[in-house]
Every structure is written in structure tokens, then in C-alpha cells.
Amino acid sequence: MLDIQNLQVVFGTGRLRVDAVKDVSFHVEPGAAYGLVGESGSGKSTVLRAICGLAPITAGRVLVEGRAVTTPRGKDFYRTVQMVFQDPYASLHPRHTVDRTLSEPLAIHGEKDQEARILQALREVGLGPSFRFRYPHQLSGGQRQRIAIARALILRPKVLLLDEPTSALDASVQAEILNLLDDLRRKMGLTYILVSHDLAVVAHLCERLLVMRHGEAVEETTSEALRSGVASNAYTQSLIQASQGFTRDAKEPVRSLAG
Amino acid sequence: MTKPLLDVDDLRVRFHLRTGTVEAVRGVSFQLGRERLGIVGESGSGKSQTGRAILGLTPPPGEVTAKRLAFDGIDLLTASKRTLRTLRGGRISMVMQDPKYSLNPVMTIGEQIVEAYQAHAKAGRREARDRALAMLEAVKMRDPARVFSLYPHEVSGGMGQRAMIAMMLVTDPDLLIADEPTSALDVTVSMEVLRILDELVTERGMGLIFISHDLKLVSSFCDRVLVMYAGRVVEQLEAKNLREAQHPYTQGLMRCLPTLKDDVRPLPTLNRDPAWAQ
Ligand SMILES: Nc1ncnc2c1ncn2[C@@H]1O[C@H](COP(=O)(O)OP(=O)(O)OP(=O)(O)O)[C@@H](O)[C@H]1O
Ligand SMILES: Nc1ncnc2c1ncn2[C@@H]1O[C@H](COP(=O)(O)OP(=O)(O)OP(=O)(O)O)[C@@H](O)[C@H]1O
Ligand SMILES: [Mg+2]
Ligand SMILES: [Mg+2]
């Protein structure tokens, strides 16, 4: 479904040059869910943004259903691929109501039954009709994220790129969204790429995942392996350990703590 | 007993919309000493609005009332605009849930931290710059000098969050309200950031309100936890006892978490009882 071949993304030049993604390749089968994990700034969001044409592809290729993507991406592309952004504040138009945010993609693609589809989309993400005419600033962080997810789902795309879709959500809403994503995948064969720093969330939704660091792919592994705590890479191992919660006895004593 | 750093009694926040009134916070009371207080609760339960009201940052047309809202003996409800302005971003800081939204898009990260520092400390440009770079390093930025000269849209989600934390800590606040400060950070960086906050509490005696939906994190990091539901505090307990929570909402929350250990599918969800909102 998705083929990322030797993807490279460079921002800036000279002193400000950043090699955000260096020679990253992976393949996602139709109906599969693929995870991207790794430390902050390692290039995870940039990979997703490059796929949907929001970051430059400096070298390498991105293939969707066997065909290389065109720049700029066409209307067809966005019918097939939708993205949920890490930052729902920046991705929702501040002066558009929820209703307008959700009806716009329907209108662009000439879809019918707008009203019913909007209400259904809201229901799917656990929001009632009373939210329909609110503006983004009138919503809590998690409510905004749910609107962003509803907008991505409303066209029923084949591929969803999910950038930290549940990191702004509390456990109960997260569970509802994860169940919804699981369900949609089973019923409609959706394909996902999921970026998350929560290994338990990645293991729950994905079968395979790529661990990134400094723009490079350091290890491709499976959720099975994560669950059993096996990782050949030391960095992956440290991610698994750190996911157990906060400990006051720091392993690398950055600065010693008082008391 | 020493007087609390922050005293909140019967805090209420309302928004009058055309479609009706939203009661975002409905009578929240708590006291905070020089400790780590966690606030957890479901999305929309009023956590952020509680934090914002303490700082006087409730967005219009929001209406805030309280029987008492005092910081270090200063009544925040009657304090002058000037007093509030000096407190805010100085002795009281808040790391907002939406870092990129709260950073100025047309100013570099470094300049914003410099400005924040100079607004509250008499410092020359040179000193302010050094402080800003040191803060960026303290929040584990890989290349502080590069990040200093980047605009908010040029940094990753987690870098934006850390930039915001650096900006809020540069003035050495006595009270820090951190709203989901680590939600976009991978576990290893998030532990580093928590360690910084931890030091500020244990060594400098800062008071910390830590808003998060990450129960595991809160129970391992905080001293006490308030559990909010529909604008109210429904339970207050020692953080380490979160697993023994009494309220069915808190218990339910704990069960919804996916774990690396077991593969439960579908995940349990909450059956919200209307009585919890009473
Ligand atoms: N528009 C841009 N201009 C310059 N540099 C950029 C731009 N966008 C991203 N970068 C840089 O690319 C690198 C990778 O960023 P990216 O957003 O992909 O990280 P990430 O892995 O998603 O991190 P996080 O987990 O913190 O969201 C960072 O060093 C960032 O500063
Ligand atoms: N400006 C506003 N106008 C109307 N309602 C608002 C406004 N701001 C917030 N609300 C509502 O107030 C309630 C509490 O919001 P708040 O942002 O405090 O939630 P939260 O607990 O921080 O949730 P999250 O975990 O999703 O960030 C929500 O139901 C939200 O929709
Ligand atoms: Mg990112
Ligand atoms: Mg919030």
C-alpha cells in the first residue's frame, strides 16, 4: 500500500541545515498498521509530512498503491491518504466551527448527506451534537484532537497517517479512539502509520514498527518483540525501560537529587 | 501549619454561549504547598480551565468566581492588573497544553526566552542570552544554539513543548502550572524533563501543579492527586495510592490503559454514570 524508499528530507542550508530524515525505507501492506517511534526530534513527523507533501522529499521515493506520488499531491491523493496532525491547535482553523471543519472535505469531494455524515463523525469520536457549532478555542485539548480525527475519517480514506493521535487524550477517550481505529481497520481494511511515544499504544495498534533516532532508522521490530521485552538495539531497550514510569533514582545521574 | 502557597476555594468557571452555559469548573477547592500536585481527569473535565483561572487567563467571555483564590497571601481576585502582570510569567508560570499555539510564531524560540527573562529580571542582553541557552540545554535540546535561532514552526512537537518549559522556568517561578507538559515527549526525554521539575520542587521549594492524563506518570511522579470529573474534584488521594482509588471513575480510568504486558482487545471503556457529575 505504502512504500517509502530511501527517503531523505533536508531543511535549511549552511549552518542551519538539518538532515531531518536520512535514508529511511519501509513498506506497509494494505490493511496493516505500522508504528514509528523514537526520541523527540528524530524525524517521525517529518516522515509523515513528506508522505503527504507537507515536507520536501529531498531524495528517495514515496509510493502509494505502487505509484510514485506527484508534487503537488492531487485531489485523489487526499481521498486515499489523510493525516491527523500532532498539533490539533495548529491544524484546525481558528475561525471555523466544527461544522465547517467537517463539511469542507465533504464539499470538496462532492459528497452527499453532509448533515448525517457530520453527526455520525462526531458520534464516532465520542462527541455529541452540541459540539457541532463550537469554535476550536471553545473546546478542550482532547476535544480538539477528536475533531481532527473525525475530519480525517469523514472521507473514509484508505490510509490514515496518525501523528500522536491520542497523546492529548485521557485514558478513557484514548481507549475509545483506539477501539474505533481497530474496528475501522477490521471493517474497512484501513492502513495506518502511527507515530506515538507510548509503546503500549503502538504495540496495541500495530504489528510492526520502526525505531528512529537522529533521522535514521535504527531498528525494525514487531509488537510481539516489544511485549516480550526483546530488542536488539540498546536505544529500543531504553525506550521499553523508560515506559515503566518515573523513578527518582536516575540511572544516568544527570545532576544528583537532594534528599 | 505553614500557610499554603496557593489556596483555592470554590473556584467556578462559566462560559455563556448562545447555545447555553458551559460550566467548565464547578466548585474546585484545594491547597498547594511546596509539593507536586497532580490533576488528572477525563478530557473536558476542566483541568486546563482550572489552571488558567488561577493565572487570570480565562479566555473571554469566561466568568470566574471563587470564595478564595490566593497565592502566597496575595488575593488574586482583587489584585490589581499590574500586580497580576508581574506575578504572571514571573513568580507564577504556566506551561500551556498547546505549546505551538502559545509561542509567538514570528519570533525565534531564543528571542522569546530572552524576552521572558528580561521582563522579570534586570539583566543585560548577554546574560539573558546565556540564561536562555542554558535553559534550552537543561531541557535536553540536542543543539541549543540551533534551536535558539529557530521559529516555532521549525521545531518538532516535543521540541516546542520543551521550548515552552524552558521559557516558563527561566524566571525561577515559585509556582509552576504545567498543563500536559510531557504529552508530546518520548519517554526518555520526558523523564529528563520531569527530573528538572522534580529538582525545582525538592531543592528550590517550588510548588508544582502537574496536569496530565497519564495516570502511570502521575502516580509515580506526584505527591498528591486530584481527580476531576465534569468540572469537579471527585477524589483526592496520595499519588502512590492511585491504584487503590475508590471512585468508580478513577478505577475505570486505570483499567482503560493499554499495557505492554497484556493484549486486551477491545480495550475496556468507561460507562459514565450520570451520578458522577452530580
Ligand atoms: N520546517 C522546518 N524547518 C527547519 N527544521 C525543521 C522543520 N521541520 C522540522 N524540522 C527539524 O527536523 C527535525 C525532525 O523534526 P520532526 O518534527 O520530524 O521530529 P519528531 O520525531 O516528530 O519529534 P517529536 O516527537 O518531538 O514530535 C527537528 O530537528 C526539527 O527541528
Ligand atoms: N472558551 C470556551 N467556551 C466554551 N466552552 C469552553 C471554552 N473553553 C473550554 N470550554 C469547555 O470547558 C470544558 C473544560 O475544558 P478544559 O479545557 O478545562 O478541559 P480539560 O480537562 O483540560 O480537557 P483536556 O484533557 O481535553 O485538555 C470543556 O467541556 C470545554 O469544551
Ligand atoms: Mg513529531
Ligand atoms: Mg486541557
Side-chain angles (χ1 to χ4, degrees):
Chain A
M1 187 78 210
L2 275 172
D3 246 312
I4 314 300
Q5 300 174 347
N6 308 99
L7 178 67
Q8 191 194 354
V9 179
V10 176
F11 293 110
T13 53
R15 200 174 60 84
L16 291 181
R17 177 186 162 118
V18 192
D19 289 80
V21 180
K22 306 174 203 166
D23 195 25
V24 166
S25 303
F26 60 92
H27 174 77
V28 189
E29 296 289 331
Y34 193 83
L36 290 180
V37 304
E39 66 181 354
S40 174
S42 61
K44 306 178 300 289
S45 299
T46 306
V47 168
L48 297 193
R49 297 176 71 91
I51 295 172
C52 24
L54 297 168
I57 298 177
T58 311
R61 297 209 301 167
V62 171
L63 290 90
V64 178
E65 296 185 296
R67 273 189 312 247
V69 294
T70 56
T71 306
R73 310 282 184 275
K75 210 160 130 181
D76 275 356
F77 176 86
Y78 292 108
R79 192 173 252 295
T80 315
V81 183
Q82 282 284 325
M83 175 158 174
V84 175
F85 294 89
Q86 183 169 5
D87 193 352
Y89 296 87
S91 69
L92 294 181
H93 194 294
R95 289 193 219 301
H96 290 181
T97 59
V98 167
D99 183 71
R100 176 143 178 218
T101 298
L102 295 180
S103 61
E104 225 157 52
L106 294 173
I108 290 172
H109 292 272
E111 300 273 322
K112 294 187 193 61
D113 297 328
Q114 289 199 11
E115 162 119 18
R117 300 263 306 256
I118 289 170
L119 291 173
Q120 185 192 348
L122 284 174
R123 212 166 33 241
E124 280 175 352
V125 294
L127 293 176
S130 69
F131 287 91
R132 187 170 163 197
F133 294 102
R134 293 239 195 134
Y135 289 93
H137 73 268
Q138 298 174 327
L139 302 170
S140 78
Q143 289 162 349
R144 279 185 228 206
Q145 183 63 305
R146 283 186 271 173
I147 297 300
I149 293 172
R151 176 180 57 185
L153 285 174
I154 202 162
L155 284 173
R156 293 291 182 246
K158 291 186 195 157
V159 179
L160 262 190
L161 308 178
L162 302 155
D163 198 352
E164 302 278 7
T166 61
S167 71
L169 305 176
D170 66 281
S172 63
V173 182
Q174 167 170 287
E176 281 158 21
I177 298 284
L178 291 177
N179 288 342
L180 171 71
L181 291 171
D182 234 5
D183 235 37
L184 288 172
R185 179 148 85 108
R186 212 166 322 109
K187 284 200 202 113
M188 299 189 291
L190 289 189
T191 307
Y192 301 138
I193 301 184
L194 170 76
V195 171
S196 174
H197 62 273
D198 186 333
L199 292 187
V201 168
V202 173
H204 185 81
L205 209 62
C206 306
E207 298 83 38
R208 286 188 307 140
L209 61 135
L210 189 69
V211 182
M212 292 184 65
R213 195 175 199 195
H214 309 316
E216 283 168 41
V218 296
E219 175 175 28
E220 184 176 273
T221 180
T222 62
S223 296
E224 270 309 305
L226 275 192
R227 287 188 190 285
S228 50
V230 206
S232 51
N233 186 278
Y235 176 63
T236 315
Q237 197 63 53
S238 72
L239 283 180
I240 298 176
Q241 251 165 32
S243 68
Q244 309 302 325
F246 181 77
T247 45
R248 291 230 145 65
D249 35 78
K251 251 195 241 64
E252 335 105 86
V254 197
R255 267 163 286 161
S256 69
L257 292 171
Chain B
M1 201 192 121
T2 53
K3 87 177 163 318
L5 188 62
L6 182 71
D7 190 356
V8 179
D9 188 9
D10 199 24
L11 177 71
R12 293 169 187 271
V13 180
R14 295 186 195 85
F15 294 97
H16 302 290
L17 305 181
R18 247 180 310 149
T19 47
T21 298
V22 176
E23 296 201 62
V25 180
R26 306 186 301 151
V28 164
S29 306
F30 65 91
Q31 295 192 331
L32 176 81
R34 307 199 172 262
E35 58 177 329
R36 293 158 289 239
L37 175 71
I39 302 185
V40 302
E42 117 174 302
S43 172
S45 59
K47 305 181 296 291
S48 299
Q49 290 303 336
T50 298
R52 298 184 78 115
I54 294 167
L55 258 95
L57 289 178
T58 303
E63 169 192 294
V64 178
T65 59
K67 289 208 184 97
R68 187 170 164 75
L69 186 60
F71 165 74
D72 201 13
I74 306 166
D75 184 346
L76 298 174
L77 293 167
T78 56
S80 69
K81 282 227 165 61
R82 228 192 94 158
T83 311
L84 285 180
R85 240 192 340 261
T86 18
L87 282 178
R88 206 155 51 214
R91 294 189 61 201
I92 314 179
S93 276
M94 179 161 177
V95 175
M96 298 285 178
Q97 187 171 6
D98 42 353
K100 293 213 178 159
Y101 199 68
S102 354
L103 290 168
N104 182 346
V106 296
M107 210 170 156
T108 65
I109 304 264
E111 283 307 320
Q112 295 187 52
I113 302 176
V114 164
E115 193 173 76
Y117 185 60
Q118 289 188 318
H120 294 278
K122 282 197 196 68
R125 169 100 210 133
R126 186 63 198 257
E127 186 202 330
R129 203 190 137 82
D130 289 348
R131 281 283 302 210
L133 281 169
M135 273 326 295
L136 287 173
E137 197 174 338
V139 293
K140 301 290 158 205
M141 292 289 193
R142 193 162 290 293
D143 184 353
R146 180 176 78 89
V147 176
F148 188 97
S149 53
L150 293 179
Y151 289 91
H153 74 273
E154 296 175 329
V155 299
S156 77
M159 289 159 77
Q161 213 163 36
R162 280 177 286 158
M164 194 64 201
I165 293 170
M167 191 159 122
M168 291 306 136
L169 290 182
V170 76
T171 57
D172 256 346
D174 291 316
L175 169 62
L176 178 72
I177 303 171
D179 195 354
E180 304 277 5
T182 60
S183 66
L185 301 178
D186 67 282
V187 274
T188 50
V189 176
S190 137
M191 290 307 134
E192 295 298 338
V193 168
L194 292 181
R195 214 156 273 145
I196 300 171
L197 297 181
D198 200 50
E199 271 179 21
L200 290 171
V201 175
T202 51
E203 290 178 6
R204 280 214 25 255
M206 180 179 83
L208 174 69
I209 297 180
F210 187 82
I211 301 175
S212 172
H213 59 269
D214 189 333
L215 298 168
K216 207 161 41 176
L217 199 64
V218 167
S219 70
S220 60
F221 177 67
C222 294
D223 304 306
R224 256 185 330 134
V225 188
L226 303 183
V227 183
M228 287 189 69
Y229 188 81
R232 288 230 166 102
V233 175
V234 294
E235 186 160 21
Q236 222 187 113
L237 68 176
E238 296 282 302
K240 58 178 191 299
N241 299 337
L242 205 55
R243 296 218 161 263
E244 285 100 59
Q246 295 303 308
H247 198 278
Y249 167 66
T250 324
Q251 291 175 346
L253 267 189
M254 299 297 291
R255 271 197 302 273
C256 302
L257 285 172
T259 63
L260 264 186
K261 267 208 324 286
D262 329 278
D263 187 4
V264 183
R265 191 170 307 255
L267 288 166
T269 51
L270 270 182
N271 264 324
R272 293 174 181 75
D273 184 337
W276 298 347
Q278 294 311 298

